[in-house]
Amino acid sequence: MSGSSPTPQGAILAACPTCKAVFRGGFQRCPNDGSRLAPGADDPLVGTVLAERYQIDQVIGDGGIGRVYRARHVRMSRAFAIKVPFGELGYDRKARARFANEAEAASRLSHPNVIGVVDVGETREGLFYMAMDLAEGPSLATLLDDGPLPAPRVLAILVQLADGLAHAHDRGLVHRDLKPDNVILTAGPDGGEQVRIVDFGLAIVDADATRDRLTTEGVVLGTPHYMAPEQATDEALDLRTDLFALGLIVYELLAGVHPFDGAPIDVARQNLSRELPPIRERAGVEVEPVLEALIRWLTQKAPADRPASTGLVVRLARALAAGDVAGARALYMWFPSRNL
């Protein structure tokens, strides 16, 4: 399964019969080859071989930027998730350059808790695609359908999530759309639960590159429920943007509900302006004070007030997961302005 969601009912989709790109909205002709688009629910890529090596089996889901397919390599017994940008973005010059740059950066990821890009290219007809290893298992969003998770399981998930993010952040990558849908739980080599972060193929490059990154009108950088204040106000993003989303995810796993109610835009506004309600008040769940303090640190409104290092979050999470509350408390309190 992928971190994408199915296309909402009522979404207007049309496909190009020549390049097989899928378009949303009111496009009537393909900007790449001029073919008249054919409206309808059938995806022209399903059942075909993409780039002479990926047999497209089915649509897994749609994200804000592209469609994800399950595919098999025609010469290897291996499954992949193939992401293809929607036509209105994939054939935009600036967006295409950004996708290519970011996919190349994501291909540098190699970590058991991250699904990176393993292949990037385009078909003869000009269709851009990214191939990723296929993570099969339930997402955190699926688990949340059954309510809150016990704290030991949440801490085990947090350790792996933070570890995967630290690997990416150390390589200058920011996910910018971390959410329960983009975290898959698979069976690990030891038979335990392994966390896999998906959709790093549309991450952004961190550090000084954030000032110069290519942007495209109409591309939404993030999901409102997990959007950091700097995303909502269109400011520069860095690793602390992912840490904000991480804090909200951990809160939701413990409480069984998001900190705030409302429509997506209302939740985004509350993320921007309101302090998180205590988990006990929100859901009647008792949480170790150091863990709740860590969540509050991760979700501070100003990026400068959040942890400056994902590695620090890993250390805190590991101490809590090991039951070393005193060690976690000491590590937490060592940093200025941290209070329990």
Side-chain angles (χ1 to χ4, degrees):
M1 111 175 250
S2 110
S4 300
S5 302
T7 302
Q9 290 186 352
I12 301 173
L13 296 178
C16 174
T18 303
C19 69
K20 298 181 172 57
V22 174
F23 291 78
R24 301 169 298 182
F27 281 77
Q28 296 186 1
R29 289 190 178 274
C30 177
N32 181 53
D33 51 51
S35 298
R36 182 172 289 278
L37 302 184
D42 293 338
D43 190 301
L45 276 179
V46 175
T48 68
V49 177
L50 180 75
E52 301 181 349
R53 54 187 175 276
Y54 299 109
Q55 173 70 45
I56 304 296
D57 292 333
Q58 66 183 90
V59 177
I60 297 176
D62 290 343
I65 292 176
R67 174 161 280 190
V68 184
Y69 303 85
R70 180 191 174 97
R72 292 173 289 110
H73 197 285
V74 296
R75 288 183 290 276
M76 295 187 293
S77 178
R78 184 175 173 185
F80 292 89
I82 307 292
K83 189 154 198 171
V84 179
F86 289 117
E88 67 271 17
L89 299 174
Y91 291 132
D92 176 276
R93 180 184 58 82
K94 187 177 286 189
R96 193 180 185 88
R98 183 172 62 83
F99 295 154
N101 290 342
E102 293 167 3
E104 188 281 327
S107 70
R108 300 195 296 264
L109 297 176
S110 178
H111 190 277
N113 299 125
V114 174
I115 296 291
V117 173
V118 297
D119 187 19
V120 179
E122 62 179 73
T123 65
R124 286 186 226 174
E125 296 78 17
L127 197 64
F128 182 86
Y129 68 87
M130 293 176 285
M132 298 160 279
D133 286 325
L134 182 68
E136 296 188 278
S139 68
L140 288 185
T142 300
L143 265 62
L144 283 166
D145 289 340
D146 296 326
L149 276 60
R153 189 178 183 189
V154 173
L155 285 168
I157 290 171
L158 171 59
V159 169
Q160 295 185 63
L161 266 176
D163 208 22
L165 286 175
H167 173 79
H169 293 164
D170 287 346
R171 284 150 184 80
L173 283 176
V174 180
H175 192 291
R176 71 117 192 263
D177 194 20
L178 190 66
K179 57 186 176 181
D181 280 312
N182 280 339
V183 180
I184 307 300
L185 300 178
T186 65
D190 60 356
E193 198 168 61
Q194 185 171 22
V195 170
R196 310 297 300 275
I197 305 172
V198 304
D199 233 2
F200 255 109
L202 292 173
I204 64 169
V205 179
D206 191 9
D208 292 338
T210 56
R211 294 197 304 268
D212 303 318
R213 71 182 187 270
L214 296 170
T215 56
T216 303
E217 186 177 357
V219 177
V220 178
L221 306 183
T223 300
H225 277 72
Y226 305 93
M227 191 177 287
E230 61 269 23
Q231 287 176 285
T233 53
D234 198 26
E235 298 174 25
L237 312 182
D238 62 20
L239 66 87
R240 295 167 297 184
T241 303
D242 285 345
L243 295 185
F244 186 92
L246 177 63
L248 290 179
I249 290 171
V250 176
Y251 184 109
E252 193 170 3
L253 292 175
L254 291 165
V257 293
H258 191 276
F260 305 118
D261 294 322
I265 189 63
D266 296 325
V267 172
R269 289 194 185 104
Q270 292 177 90
N271 284 343
L272 182 63
S273 61
R274 288 186 57 193
E275 294 299 320
L276 270 62
I279 293 176
R280 189 173 96 173
E281 292 181 11
R282 178 69 170 145
V285 177
E286 295 289 344
V287 175
E288 164 57 49
V290 179
L291 177 54
E292 185 144 20
L294 173 58
I295 293 170
R296 291 189 175 279
W297 192 11
L298 292 169
T299 55
Q300 289 298 300
K301 307 306 179 187
D305 293 334
R306 299 174 209 149
S309 162
T310 312
L312 171 61
V313 180
V314 174
R315 291 166 61 193
L316 278 163
R318 284 180 176 159
L320 287 169
D324 183 11
V325 176
R329 179 187 293 268
L331 181 61
Y332 180 89
M333 294 296 290
W334 188 81
F335 287 85
S337 75
R338 301 296 105 223
N339 295 301
L340 289 171

